[in-house]
Amino acid sequence: MTNFVLVAGARLGASAWDEVAAELRAAGHDPHPLTLSGLAEKRGVPAGQQTHVRDIVDEVERLDLRDVVLVGHSYSGIPVGQAAQRIGDRLARVVLVDSSVPVDGESFLGGWPSDHVREQIEEHDGFWPPAGPEHYSGQGLTDDQIARIIDRSSPHPGTTLTEPAVLTGPLSTLPATYIKCLLDDEEPMPVVAELLKNASWSLVTMNTGHWPMFSQPRELATILGATTG
């Protein structure tokens, strides 16, 4: 039995993992989907990026979890990567699902052209607003799946996207699996490609889009389970 701490990307909370968590439980694992501060049922809780890192570390310590696989999707790869360095020998592996990775001193928005996101945050009182259905087209999602993502989305605290990551050591030393969703982009971003040159990092691909917990939950759960072997 492996403890999985599951952290969804921007705008989403723990409910994004409902189907994946059910599959993991059926396989004998213990999933712990986590909602980060300021999102979903935790809307209104003040949050910066380091708040999100603490959310993850605190959850692991509060539940006294061992043999932990930290799973970060999209934005949450940034706080998950930092938290993985801070939980010591509790960590079994970090799994990054089509995610960004933290770079010391750099924000989530610093790694790609993001002026439009910064403008949206400024126009919406410091929050990145939920996206409409057009944002999810071409990602292997049915209309029903897109509707569920939108229904479960909430405005994302902008400071978590603009504050810099703080690393305590090189990510290259972590035991890590990177899951690349090929409909989003066939190649990992350059910083990820560099990390994948390390022996402790491995690459798995999925023939789906950026939200595999909705489009292919069973397949994603199978891959997650295989990382524990």
Side-chain angles (χ1 to χ4, degrees), residues 34-82:
L34 176 63
T35 295
L36 298 173
S37 295
L39 295 163
E41 70 272 16
K42 295 181 181 177
R43 284 183 69 175
V45 177
Q49 188 185 117
Q50 293 308 306
T51 314
H52 285 177
V53 177
R54 290 194 300 272
D55 286 342
I56 299 163
V57 174
D58 289 350
E59 183 77 352
V60 171
E61 294 180 346
R62 180 181 69 84
L63 298 174
D64 194 22
L65 300 178
R66 306 281 173 174
D67 190 30
V68 177
V69 176
L70 291 184
V71 182
H73 162 251
S74 194
Y75 153 76
S76 73
I78 302 286
V80 161
Q82 294 170 77

Side-chain angles (χ1 to χ4, degrees), residues 15-24 148 152 213-214 217-218 221:
S15 66
W17 299 101
D18 283 354
E19 291 174 271
V20 172
E23 294 286 345
L24 289 171
R148 283 193 286 124
R152 298 179 192 191
M213 66 281 289
F214 289 95
R218 179 172 296 177

Side-chain angles (χ1 to χ4, degrees), residues 117-174:
V117 177
R118 296 176 191 273
E119 290 170 3
Q120 287 181 325
I121 292 170
E122 186 174 345
E123 292 168 359
H124 290 84
D125 298 320
F127 288 85
W128 192 18
E134 67 283 350
H135 181 69
Y136 303 98
S137 64
Q139 295 293 317
L141 295 156
T142 66
D143 289 344
D144 177 67
Q145 289 164 345
I146 291 173
R148 283 193 286 124
I149 296 175
I150 292 172
D151 182 63
R152 298 179 192 191
S153 295
S154 57
H156 191 100
T159 52
T160 70
L161 308 177
T162 58
E163 289 181 353
V166 180
L167 296 180
T168 60
L171 288 181
S172 57
T173 61
L174 292 175

